[in-house]
Amino acid sequence: MIKLIRGFRDILPGDVELWQDIEAKARVLLENFGFREIRLPIMESTDLFSRGIGTDTDIVEKEMYSFPDSKGRGQTLRPEATASVVRAYIEHGFAGSDPVQKFYTIGPMFRHERPQKGRYRQFYQINAEMYGVASPLADVQIMYMLHLFFTGLSVPDVVTHVNSLGCPECRPKFRDALTAFVSDKTDRLCSDCQRRAKTNPLRVIDCKVPGCKEAVEGAPSIQDHLCQDCREHFEAVIKGLDNLSVPYEINPRLVRGLDYYTRTTFEVQTSLLGAQNAVAGGGRYDGLVKILEGKDTPAIGFAIGFDRLAALLGAEEKDFTVPPPLFVAALGAEAQKIAFDWLCAFNAKGLRAEMDYEGKSLKSQMKQANRFRVGHVLILGETELQNNKAVLRNMDTKEQVEVALDGLVDQVIALINQG
Ligand code: HAM
């Protein structure tokens, strides 16, 4: 039998209802905040990601699904959406009409990571991206929106970590201080961090490997290296969060795995998902539009890990199937024919109804209705046909009422809607 590819997953009925609910709530909130949906392809030129995310990141170095097209041009299944949204922002000239634009997009991403709980090779994200606002108000609004979303869903055990990664002005100085700090500790670092110590030393300070954590204790803090502008920006963000009562923890070790970040970065973390503790992450990326050959435009955004959010809300333990309100049980060929017409009419009028298609006994049809956990069963047997009446049984109260066959569909819908 052909099975799923490792690291890929099916989201089945029973779980998918929770996903639909999360997605519907996300759309309402994002649109209330002025974000408009943008739908993007899942495949882009490889260059977009290597230039956008950074060649020294784990994603670009080892996690991309890249392959040449028939002419040998590199293309990649998107590992994230931000670079694609920036490409679309530039390509469709949004900056020309109004540089301030807010977009959201929901869909699958692909990273060739080692699969484990909460980590998949195809996973889903809800992304929000905002362009053209350099003010810290944008940072506050974005983080406030994320906070509202998580509290609205009553997500358990989440903490928002926030940091500033500085700007091209102050970060190089911090990078130098860090490089000097780790230079005599490389033998204590994991093999990834030994490489990162040279290429991307910031990543060393948020490595999860215990040996690395110990080695970087006492490392210089980015918070002590921010330039005046970055410091003021960060302070304004913190003040804004306080004013709106958004809880956070300042975490000078929060670095993020993508190179495009500047200034504010944040991550929503949980302790309930083992090693995969980030449920959402984001920050400012003021340089990215320019790197991708657009006009210099400030930008900020985040992505929520949909799979992890659904896991936190219990998708794997609970069954979120919504039972149909009605089962139509018919006995005999004539009754079954009528029942099928009713079924189609109920469905067309927006009432979800089910029936047995095989002409089974009434007993087994009632069993089937119970399995569906329906609210009502509409019964049409030979006697009912003769009397020109069907019986509507409330499965909770066991009460039964007779309904005339003439005009039955609307009558039944009205009775069910009454409760
Ligand atoms: P990221 O931190 O790489 O950021 O991913 C965001 C979220 O996607 C993570 O916090 C996590 O919940 C989820 N995620 C990442 N990888 C996996 C995986 N292999 N399996 C399951 N879930 C995963 C970004 O992607 C940035 N583009 C976010 C952003 C938007 N920054 C600014 N705008």
Side-chain angles (χ1 to χ4, degrees):
M1 183 208 152
I2 300 168
K3 293 203 171 157
L4 268 172
I5 307 174
R6 197 167 119 81
F8 286 67
R9 63 188 304 214
D10 300 315
I11 298 149
L12 303 175
D15 289 339
V16 91
E17 291 77 5
L18 174 67
W19 284 63
Q20 290 168 338
D21 182 53
I22 294 173
E23 187 168 328
K25 288 182 174 142
R27 285 176 189 282
V28 170
L29 185 77
L30 286 156
E31 286 175 17
N32 284 345
F33 276 73
F35 288 74
R36 295 186 298 160
E37 185 173 11
I38 185 166
R39 295 192 186 194
L40 302 163
I42 57 165
M43 199 154 76
E44 300 266 9
S45 294
T46 302
D47 284 350
L48 177 69
F49 301 115
S50 43
R51 259 206 269 163
I53 301 169
T55 43
D56 293 330
T57 56
D58 284 355
I59 296 178
V60 173
E61 262 179 3
K62 50 187 187 189
E63 294 170 2
M64 296 208 299
Y65 282 90
S66 301
F67 39 88
D69 71 3
S70 59
K71 296 212 169 73
R73 291 173 295 217
Q75 43 194 26
T76 293
L77 291 181
R78 62 178 183 194
E80 61 116 43
T82 309
S84 301
V85 183
V86 173
R87 179 201 48 71
Y89 177 79
I90 300 168
E91 192 163 347
H92 301 288
F94 280 106
S97 50
D98 180 355
V100 180
Q101 297 283 342
K102 298 181 221 168
F103 302 108
Y104 75 90
T105 192
I106 302 174
M109 311 293 151
F110 303 84
R111 293 184 195 173
H112 196 272
E113 296 185 83
R114 198 165 51 79
Q116 53 179 247
K117 188 177 168 219
R119 189 156 79 191
Y120 305 97
R121 291 181 170 170
Q122 176 175 334
F123 59 98
Y124 296 78
Q125 283 186 346
I126 302 170
N127 272 260
E129 313 288 354
M130 180 169 179
Y131 297 93
V133 185
S135 159
L137 292 178
D139 314 37
V140 174
Q141 191 183 25
I142 279 264
M143 290 181 71
Y144 177 60
M145 185 170 76
L146 192 58
H147 163 72
L148 278 189
F149 187 57
F150 276 78
T151 44
L153 287 169
S154 305
V155 185
D157 187 58
V158 281
V159 178
T160 301
H161 293 247
V162 58
N163 193 18
S164 172
L165 288 179
C167 66
E169 184 72 21
C170 53
R171 192 164 28 190
K173 289 174 199 143
F174 172 63
R175 201 186 138 112
D176 289 348
L178 206 55
T179 309
F181 178 84
V182 294
S183 62
D184 60 348
K185 298 176 183 65
T186 42
D187 52 337
R188 292 166 60 193
L189 302 176
C190 71
S191 56
D192 274 341
C193 282
Q194 293 193 354
R195 183 171 37 82
R196 288 178 191 141
K198 293 188 199 90
T199 57
N200 200 354
L202 267 70
R203 288 296 289 164
V204 178
I205 55 169
D206 84 340
C207 180
K208 308 275 177 324
V209 176
C212 297
K213 274 187 168 172
E214 251 173 57
V216 298
E217 259 171 42
S221 165
I222 179 82
Q223 291 284 333
D224 299 328
H225 286 77
L226 297 178
C227 62
Q228 180 75 11
D229 284 353
C230 287
R231 165 130 315 280
E232 281 172 12
H233 186 96
F234 189 66
E235 281 168 6
V237 173
I238 294 301
K239 217 168 174 186
L241 295 176
D242 288 340
N243 282 342
L244 289 167
S245 304
V246 178
Y248 60 85
E249 262 178 36
I250 297 177
N251 178 356
R253 291 279 163 97
L254 179 72
V255 168
R256 312 270 306 125
L258 306 99
D259 273 359
Y260 48 61
Y261 290 111
T262 52
R263 295 194 167 167
T264 316
T265 47
F266 51 90
E267 211 164 80
V268 180
Q269 298 182 357
T270 176
S271 61
L272 298 178
L273 294 177
Q276 305 314 310
N277 64 350
V279 197
R284 250 189 196 281
Y285 49 99
D286 290 344
L288 187 57
V289 181
K290 192 160 177 215
I291 289 173
L292 296 175
E293 292 167 37
K295 260 207 266 164
D296 204 0
T297 309
I300 181 163
F302 64 74
I304 298 168
F306 209 143
D307 309 69
R308 293 183 192 170
L309 178 57
L312 273 182
L313 292 174
E316 270 118 55
E317 293 100 53
K318 291 185 218 132
D319 182 353
F320 291 88
T321 310
V322 181
L326 182 66
F327 187 92
V328 186
L331 210 59
E334 175 67 14
Q336 218 200 2
K337 229 169 94 214
I338 299 171
F340 181 70
D341 287 347
W342 287 344
L343 183 82
C344 294
F346 284 128
N347 292 162
K349 285 176 184 258
L351 184 91
R352 193 180 142 210
E354 299 285 349
M355 72 177 283
D356 153 59
Y357 298 85
E358 313 288 346
K360 292 202 188 97
S361 71
L362 190 61
K363 197 171 156 201
S364 84
Q365 291 188 51
M366 292 308 279
K367 269 197 195 155
Q368 210 178 335
N370 277 324
R371 271 201 306 277
F372 273 120
R373 295 181 283 134
V374 292
H376 289 80
V377 179
L378 182 65
I379 303 161
L380 184 68
E382 269 156 29
T383 331
E384 286 81 13
L385 256 182
Q386 271 165 20
N387 296 341
N388 267 324
K389 278 177 184 151
V391 170
L392 183 67
R393 179 177 169 88
N394 181 320
M395 298 298 275
D396 289 333
T397 62
K398 312 288 178 231
E399 263 174 64
Q400 303 202 148
V401 286
E402 288 186 333
V403 187
L405 298 197
D406 193 25
L408 173 136
V409 169
D410 289 332
Q411 186 65 23
V412 167
I413 291 175
L415 285 167
I416 288 179
N417 287 343
Q418 272 167 26

